[in-house]
Amino acid sequence: MQCPFKNKPRWTRRKDARPQELLAAALALFVERGYAATRLDDVAARAGVSKGTLYLYFAGKEELFRAVVRENLVPVLDEAEQIIDGYAGDSASLLREFILGWWQRIGDTPLSGLTKLMMAESGNFPEVAKFYHDEIISRSDALIVRMLERGMARGEFRQVDAAQARLVIVSPILMLMLWQHSFDLCRPEPISVSNYLDTVIDLMMHGLLPSSPPTLSPTE
């Protein structure tokens, strides 16, 4: 009986696998080396393809970077928007879930290295910075403002300047991501991420919650 696997290759690269392999390689190199130092030759080599193959899918480094961002970060924002749209609980719980979910999906993964990259190199690559702002930063900022306005409208948060408050909310999370990729290497003891985030959320919520009305004694 003829073996059904005779004369067949042991493994065949799927054509549709190449873009994903290139994006994974590009993400790793962008995080390791930064935008300026990442070379397309190295991306192709990391993905196991020729540079010519890379050019079949991406016209250049900027287009490749845009694809990495859209493939990895935009879906997280899409999911967050859907969660906010359908959330039935209180706004404090929603904001807490958003922060912890963002850390789980972005901050505690190699994707957080893209934040460090943008903060370090955006001044030298304004077009890339504008793209990142329009696609990621503006949308994530809008989500935070929505949650704050939701809480204020429901009487769950006191009235605050939502545009300024979202900067205060975002800043410690950005700091934690930068700490992971830079300053943490200099510390003899690493930061406890869970304790840090719990403290940030606790301080944030006590600043957002409305003041409790004074408690009257029975004689009053």
Side-chain angles (χ1 to χ4, degrees):
M1 182 178 66
Q2 185 178 7
C3 176
F5 300 105
K6 186 178 181 180
N7 299 324
K8 290 186 178 182
R10 291 186 302 166
W11 177 78
T12 303
R13 180 191 290 271
R14 293 179 294 109
K15 183 178 180 181
D16 60 354
R18 287 177 178 167
Q20 296 303 317
E21 291 165 358
L22 288 165
L23 291 175
L27 172 61
L29 287 170
F30 281 134
V31 170
E32 290 172 15
R33 303 180 183 180
Y35 185 83
T38 295
R39 301 168 60 247
L40 294 183
D41 303 69
D42 296 330
V43 173
R46 178 75 66 96
V49 301
S50 68
K51 188 176 179 180
T53 300
L54 186 151
Y55 278 115
L56 292 176
Y57 301 99
F58 307 103
K61 183 161 68 173
E62 184 174 333
E63 183 177 316
L64 179 60
F65 180 80
R66 289 173 182 247
V68 167
V69 169
R70 286 173 173 153
E71 174 73 17
N72 292 283
L73 296 180
V74 170
V76 179
L77 292 173
D78 292 339
E79 182 180 336
E81 287 177 346
Q82 293 174 7
I83 291 173
I84 293 172
D85 288 340
Y87 198 82
D90 63 272
S91 300
S93 298
L94 172 59
L95 186 55
R96 179 183 179 85
E97 288 186 24
F98 176 85
I99 292 171
L100 295 179
W102 182 265
W103 184 258
Q104 182 182 33
R105 297 286 301 277
I106 305 295
D108 198 27
T109 75
L111 293 173
S112 60
L114 294 178
T115 301
K116 177 190 174 186
L117 179 156
M118 292 309 307
M119 296 184 74
E121 302 188 66
S122 59
N124 296 323
F125 302 97
E127 290 302 316
V128 173
K130 183 179 185 305
F131 157 77
Y132 194 82
H133 177 272
D134 293 345
E135 297 267 343
I136 305 302
I137 296 176
S138 63
R139 285 187 65 189
S140 61
D141 284 351
L143 291 176
I144 295 173
V145 169
R146 276 187 61 192
M147 288 183 283
L148 293 173
E149 291 178 340
R150 177 187 192 269
M152 289 187 285
R154 293 161 59 108
E156 297 166 337
F157 295 159
R158 65 186 179 87
Q159 295 299 310
V160 297
D161 183 334
Q164 293 300 314
R166 54 96 181 167
L167 295 175
V168 176
I169 291 170
V170 167
S171 295
I173 311 304
L174 291 177
M175 182 61 187
L176 184 57
M177 287 194 285
L178 292 177
W179 209 292
Q180 279 204 142
H181 288 275
S182 301
F183 307 127
D184 205 35
L185 300 176
C186 307
R187 288 175 56 88
E189 297 180 2
I191 288 179
S192 169
V193 171
S194 60
N195 290 342
Y196 178 94
L197 290 177
D198 284 343
T199 301
V200 168
I201 293 170
D202 178 66
L203 294 173
M204 184 189 309
M205 292 308 173
H206 281 86
L208 286 171
L209 295 178
S211 300
S212 300
T215 303
L216 300 178
S217 66
T219 58
E220 295 176 320

